[in-house]
Amino acid sequence: MPKRRGAGFPDLLSSAREKRTFSVPVPVADGTYRAFNLNTLRSSNGDMDTNIQEHLNNDIIHVQDDDIVENDLMDIVAQNDKVIIVHNADGPIGWTTVHESLLNSTAAPLTRAKDYLIDNRHVVLSLTRSVYGAHKELFSQQRSVVLVIDDQGELLGTITDRDISRLIEKGCDIWNTELANEVKPSHVLTENKPISLNDLDMVASYAERPVPIISSAGSLMGIADIKKMRRYLNSAAEITQENSTEAAPMNPISLSESMILDAVLSDTLRTGIVGTDEFLNIIYFNEAILDFIQKPELLRLGSKIWAVTDSCAISQQSLNAMLDTVKEDGEQIFANWITINEGKRYIQCRLSTVKQRAHTAGFVLSVQDITAQRNAEEAIRKLAYQDRLTQLPNRLLFEERLSLEAKRSERNGSQFAIMMLDLDGFKAVNDDYGHSAGDQLLQIMGERLLNSIRGSDTVARFGGDEFVFILPDVSNPQDVETIAEKIQDIIHKPCEINGTVFHVGASIGYSIYPDDAEDPKALLDLADTRMYKNKRENC
């Protein structure tokens, strides 16, 4: 209750915020209470403490602490700014509003959390798993949400595929970053907890974040369909206000089966669906498939499926081949780049059969836009195979290319050379001018080396100030010596960093396949040994 000795505007505002209402009770001189509506202050420019008394009204309802007020609330629902003051034998003990009482009324709960459960959109992972591990789980299982748990199995929060994509874009070290460092806190619903109008606040707050649902025993069940919950609760709120005499619970499954199917597949999953008979005549399609069709006007019930497959870059010949396979295997999955609204999108298609007594009764083609997942995979591959400082291939990618080149040369009877390079004088730059200058020097040298090689060659940063080359179709030591001299001249050119000119050199060693060795590791070891021999001779 507001304090009787004086009701200043800050006190009233604090009480109103606490109750989430515009009306609050204010004590007056005769010991009674009158109501004050904060909306009236919009037209007042005077002193708040003085003008409050001028805006008091009699919108007060008095009840006893043992009264059951819910039975009468619906009769006054239109007056939901009325203040209710609760009394006991000693006088007023507290207050509420009609609006707040309605929200907390036993008549308000409409459905339960389990009515909105989606159990096929998540994976459950430990907080110690890496962000990369989470991405691989989501991608392989075609899920979108990770529910992160601690060592006791308690839910810590969530992380989504979009969260991971943002981390990748920022250059996060997703291999060494644990989920515990990136998990987002989340509201939680319990499967049998009633969902009331008061949960609209939660829906508004978490509309962009997954809301997990747990069982009565505390185990994770899945996530809530927030869009469906919000639509339903908004509809329930409207009906509750319209029906002022009784609040009949709504049946959440009051839609027809086809409408439910469309709502789930179009709105929730954004999956385009086309169903055909055994002769490929379209007998069903949902609204989401229109997002993938270049000419939606051609998509009609009874028409052939070509309007969809042509837009998805699937030729009739390819489709017929897949149909022959899917009749045996049950499902075929394939992916293509297509153009949608002048933008390139990567779509995944699933083709499956509909069986009826061992006979193929028809086919279902589903289409999903997985561009974000594809781009995330490409970004991860780039992070995994590219040196962050120089943007050159890193050791991992180099070793893969070396293995492929050895197999190609063995198959074709050709030769190639491995060349290793170590910068002379780099340590002095690092020690005397700091790591920032050293990093800039490595970047400049990496760019010079990349611009000095052929399109078929590879240059990679092997670690520290070492670089390594694959030189296909180089057959004799004289050719390698010529290339090495060219590289040394490029390295020896002056390099200016922050106004200081640096001069560094290069020690180089090489080996040739298959004359020096046939095993890729042996080739690398020999080139490395010769490089350090050259470095000792130059000292």
Side-chain angles (χ1 to χ4, degrees):
M1 294 288 291
K3 297 178 181 178
R4 184 172 294 278
R5 67 173 183 269
F9 178 71
D11 293 331
L12 297 179
L13 183 60
S14 176
S15 295
R17 283 176 176 170
E18 181 182 348
K19 291 291 185 177
R20 292 182 297 178
T21 183
F22 287 106
S23 291
V24 295
V26 177
V28 292
D30 61 2
T32 62
Y33 285 84
R34 296 180 68 189
F36 173 72
N37 191 296
L38 274 70
N39 278 326
T40 60
L41 291 178
R42 294 177 181 176
S43 59
S44 174
N45 298 317
D47 177 71
M48 292 297 99
D49 283 330
T50 301
N51 291 337
I52 283 174
Q53 299 297 321
E54 301 175 8
H55 299 289
L56 299 182
N57 59 62
N58 292 318
D59 288 339
I60 294 283
I61 301 172
H62 294 272
V63 299
Q64 295 299 312
D65 59 348
D66 57 354
D67 286 348
I68 300 176
V69 299
E70 285 84 355
N71 297 333
D72 302 316
L73 284 177
M74 299 311 299
D75 294 332
I76 52 173
V77 69
Q79 308 172 52
N80 59 12
D81 271 337
K82 274 188 175 291
V83 173
I84 300 176
I85 296 181
V86 182
H87 299 258
N88 65 11
D90 298 322
I93 58 173
W95 68 283
T96 183
T97 65
V98 172
H99 178 66
E100 185 180 34
S101 296
L102 276 174
L103 293 180
N104 295 318
S105 169
T106 55
L110 301 166
T111 57
R112 298 182 184 276
K114 64 183 179 182
D115 295 327
Y116 305 98
L117 176 67
I118 306 174
D119 63 358
N120 62 349
R121 296 277 299 279
H122 75 283
V123 296
V124 180
L125 297 178
S126 166
L127 78 169
T128 58
R129 287 288 297 274
S130 68
V131 174
Y132 175 73
H135 167 77
K136 295 301 292 183
E137 290 286 348
L138 292 178
F139 190 77
S140 63
Q141 299 187 43
Q142 291 295 293
R143 304 296 171 91
S144 59
V145 180
V146 177
L147 303 183
V148 184
I149 59 173
D150 61 17
D151 295 337
Q152 286 72 46
E154 295 293 327
L155 179 70
L156 289 183
T158 63
I159 186 169
T160 69
D161 52 357
R162 291 185 180 181
D163 295 330
I164 295 175
S165 294
R166 294 188 188 104
L167 291 174
I168 294 171
E169 291 171 2
K170 294 177 182 177
C172 172
D173 182 3
I174 60 175
W175 293 270
N176 296 309
T177 301
E178 293 184 349
L179 292 178
N181 297 323
E182 301 297 338
V183 65
K184 310 291 185 184
S186 181
H187 188 90
V188 178
L189 296 176
T190 304
E191 62 171 326
N192 287 317
K193 173 191 173 184
I195 303 296
S196 71
L197 300 183
N198 208 23
D199 287 297
L200 281 173
D201 288 339
M202 178 278 297
V203 172
S205 300
Y206 288 87
E208 301 303 321
R209 297 295 313 166
V211 176
I213 298 178
I214 61 174
S215 69
S216 301
S219 60
L220 293 170
M221 300 178 65
I223 59 175
D225 185 341
I226 295 298
K227 291 183 179 179
K228 181 179 177 183
M229 182 186 298
R230 184 164 54 185
R231 285 197 305 267
Y232 174 61
L233 290 176
N234 281 333
S235 299
E238 293 173 2
I239 290 179
T240 300
Q241 292 181 1
E242 290 173 0
N243 299 330
S244 59
T245 55
E246 64 176 331
M250 293 176 58
N251 179 5
I253 313 300
S254 59
L255 302 174
S256 69
E257 291 183 6
S258 63
M259 291 176 68
I260 292 174
L261 183 64
D262 279 348
V264 172
L265 296 180
S266 297
D267 190 25
T268 306
L269 304 179
R270 292 312 299 170
T271 299
I273 300 290
V274 178
T276 76
D277 60 19
E278 58 182 313
F279 304 108
L280 301 182
N281 299 309
I282 296 175
I283 58 176
Y284 170 83
F285 64 88
N286 69 341
E287 181 181 356
I289 194 63
L290 300 177
D291 294 342
F292 304 97
I293 306 301
Q294 295 172 353
K295 296 181 179 180
E297 65 275 9
L298 299 180
L299 190 62
R300 290 187 173 87
L301 295 179
S303 63
K304 290 290 186 181
I305 199 174
W306 313 132
V308 178
T309 54
D310 288 349
S311 294
C312 294
I314 306 169
S315 68
Q316 294 187 22
Q317 181 179 1
S318 298
L319 180 64
N320 287 327
M322 286 186 287
L323 288 173
D324 291 337
T325 303
V326 82
K327 288 176 183 178
E328 299 295 329
D329 298 339
E331 184 179 65
Q332 283 281 289
I333 301 175
F334 47 96
N336 283 319
W337 283 101
I338 66 172
T339 301
I340 302 176
N341 297 326
E342 301 181 354
K344 289 290 186 180
R345 310 301 295 172
Y346 196 68
I347 61 166
Q348 178 177 272
C349 306
R350 292 175 180 265
L351 183 65
S352 57
T353 57
V354 178
K355 295 286 188 179
Q356 187 175 28
R357 298 187 182 91
H359 172 70
T360 300
F363 303 93
V364 175
L365 177 67
S366 64
V367 185
Q368 278 188 297
D369 184 344
I370 60 169
T371 308
Q373 293 169 312
R374 171 78 176 196
N375 290 342
E377 282 290 297
E378 290 298 321
I380 288 174
R381 180 177 176 81
K382 185 176 180 181
L383 288 172
Y385 288 114
Q386 186 181 69
D387 177 61
R388 292 188 182 183
L389 182 62
T390 64
Q391 305 303 304
L392 294 176
N394 62 12
R395 184 169 184 160
L396 179 60
L397 180 55
F398 174 83
E399 290 176 346
E400 286 191 9
R401 288 186 180 178
L402 176 58
S403 177
L404 292 173
E405 185 61 31
K407 292 177 181 178
R408 186 189 74 86
S409 296
E410 180 183 6
R411 185 171 59 251
N412 299 336
S414 58
Q415 293 179 289
F416 70 92
I418 295 295
M419 189 167 69
M420 294 196 72
L421 178 153
D422 183 83
L423 295 177
D424 298 332
F426 174 76
K427 185 176 184 301
V429 176
N430 246 351
D431 292 345
D432 297 342
Y433 294 90
H435 290 290
S436 176
D439 287 348
Q440 292 182 64
L441 179 62
L442 288 173
Q443 290 172 333
I444 293 171
M445 293 305 164
E447 185 177 0
R448 288 182 182 180
L449 294 175
L450 182 62
N451 292 332
S452 70
I453 62 174
R454 302 171 297 174
S456 59
D457 299 337
T458 293
V459 58
R461 185 183 177 201
F462 209 57
D465 59 343
E466 290 184 355
F467 297 86
V468 63
F469 301 76
I470 301 175
L471 308 172
D473 302 315
V474 175
S475 58
N476 58 72
Q478 290 76 23
D479 292 339
V480 184
E481 292 285 356
T482 300
I483 295 171
E485 290 175 3
K486 176 186 173 184
I487 295 295
Q488 283 178 325
D489 290 341
I490 291 172
I491 295 296
H492 285 152
K493 289 181 179 180
C495 175
E496 183 177 341
I497 299 173
N498 300 328
T500 302
V501 177
F502 298 96
H503 293 85
V504 294
S507 297
I508 295 176
Y510 64 86
S511 59
I512 297 177
Y513 171 94
D515 296 348
D516 289 321
E518 295 184 6
D519 178 66
K521 185 178 185 305
L523 284 169
L524 270 174
D525 290 343
L526 182 58
D528 185 58
T529 299
R530 289 173 174 173
M531 178 189 71
Y532 277 101
K533 180 176 181 294
N534 179 259
K535 195 176 189 71
R536 287 193 298 270
E537 292 173 351
N538 291 338
C539 291

